[in-house]
Every structure is written in C-alpha cells, then in structure tokens.
Amino acid sequence: SAGARYNVTRGPLRGVGVFARHVVSDQSIDAADPSAFVPNSFTDTVYGADYTFWRMKVGGEHQTHDSDVNPFDADRLFATYTDRIGLSTTLTLNAAYSQIRYEDPRDQVDLTTASVQLRHQFNTRLSATAVVLYRYETSDLRGTTTGWEEQVEVQWRHRQTQVYVTLRNTQLDTDSQDSSFQFVQV
C-alpha cells in the first residue's frame, strides 16, 4: 500500500488538500479443501480533494475497488462544521453523500447521512461524547432504508490506562422490515 497527501498552506489555494492511496492485496489458499475458501485479491485506489476554511471542511473522493469477491466504484462528498462551545465542549455537524456502484450483483446504493456530535472534556481524565446520526439509503436491490443511530461514550484515562463505556442504539426501517439494535461495550 502507498498513500500521499499534500496540503496548500499559503497563497490563493490555502486550505486545499489533495490525497491518494493505492492498496494491492494478493491472496491465495493452501488447504486440504481450497474450494471451502474464497480468496479475495483486490486493488483499491482512492483519490480526492478537500478544502478547509473557517470552521468548515468540505471534500470529495472517488474509489475504485477492483476485487475478486465484491468489486465496486464509489463517489463520496462530505461537509463538516466544528465549533468550540465554551472551554471544554466541541460541537461537530457532519453531512455526507455516497454513491456506490456494485458489479456483481449489479446494484447502486445511494447513502445520505447527517450527524451531530457533542464532546465534553470534564477534566484531564474524564470525557464524554454523544452522537445522533440520521441515514437515508436507497438500493436498487434492497429498496429504501431510513434510520437513526444514537451513541454515548464515556472515557476515563490515567497514564496508560483507559476505561470506557459505549452505549449505542440503532433503529432501521426498510421496505420489508423494521429493526432495532442495542450495543454495549465496556
């Protein structure tokens, strides 16, 4: 794998960044029954640009994932606004749009997400983060999915020790079913 990024720090293009990465993975199976495994050799190339100004960052990228198992092309656009609220609290607003085109089986997925994140540093050791995310997804094969995800994480650090608790709730509604997931990690 290889990657590069260049940020313009002076002149009329100040705040512009361009990036690219290229990954190649060749997999082979040596087993008594090689047909029980599916090697997934792939070449993955991503390139894009972003622009940072004021409290905003906007950008886009293109990805070509040439794979034996699940090849796809994707285009992504994003915008992020970050602001400090008081001395210890940060507010981040995110919006993103992805269009993913799969070859086998043929499918196009359009995914739009919007999220609000609030992070508070109580002291040098204790912090908490709360996130609410909305998703709207359309797929030629699976139809429409809408949903909400809420997450709260509390972290405590002391020297090299870190203890955290993450609580996540996800509610997804599709054309054929509604589902709810809860996740707790300590």
Side-chain angles (χ1 to χ4, degrees):
S1 68
R5 179 174 178 89
Y6 183 78
N7 293 320
V8 179
T9 58
R10 296 184 187 163
L13 296 178
R14 180 181 174 192
V16 171
V18 294
F19 57 89
R21 70 179 178 269
H22 184 74
V23 178
V24 176
S25 176
D26 291 319
Q27 299 179 359
S28 62
I29 303 295
D30 184 17
D33 183 12
S35 64
F37 302 94
V38 178
N40 184 22
S41 296
F42 67 86
T43 301
D44 190 68
T45 304
V46 176
Y47 57 88
D50 53 43
Y51 177 52
T52 302
F53 62 98
W54 186 53
R55 297 179 178 110
M56 295 285 300
K57 184 175 190 175
V58 296
E61 69 179 27
H62 175 78
Q63 178 180 13
T64 300
H65 186 82
D66 185 17
S67 170
D68 292 341
V69 174
N70 196 15
F72 66 86
D73 288 333
D75 293 303
R76 297 180 187 92
L77 301 172
F78 67 88
T80 302
Y81 170 83
T82 303
D83 197 2
R84 185 171 289 281
I85 301 172
L87 295 175
S88 304
T89 305
T90 304
L91 171 70
T92 304
L93 305 173
N94 288 302
Y97 171 76
S98 299
Q99 183 179 77
I100 306 165
R101 294 165 303 284
Y102 295 96
E103 293 179 21
D104 189 25
R106 285 222 177 267
D107 189 15
Q108 179 171 311
V109 176
D110 293 308
L111 172 63
T112 303
T113 60
S115 67
V116 176
Q117 175 181 315
L118 198 59
R119 185 175 195 288
H120 184 74
Q121 189 76 38
F122 294 99
N123 55 44
T124 57
R125 295 183 183 166
L126 184 64
S127 65
T129 304
V131 180
V132 175
L133 180 135
Y134 173 76
R135 75 181 289 133
Y136 178 81
E137 178 180 326
T138 60
S139 166
D140 293 343
L141 296 178
R142 294 184 313 272
T144 302
T145 302
T146 58
W148 291 92
E149 181 177 309
E150 303 87 17
Q151 178 173 308
V152 175
E153 181 172 288
V154 178
Q155 291 185 358
W156 179 81
R157 295 174 184 239
H158 181 66
R159 296 185 184 151
Q160 294 182 352
T161 303
Q162 177 182 352
V163 178
Y164 64 93
V165 175
T166 302
L167 307 169
R168 184 181 307 142
N169 179 59
T170 304
Q171 300 155 322
L172 298 175
D173 300 327
T174 67
D175 295 337
S176 59
Q177 72 176 5
D178 297 339
S179 55
S180 178
F181 308 94
Q182 288 72 41
F183 174 81
V184 177
Q185 183 175 18
V186 179

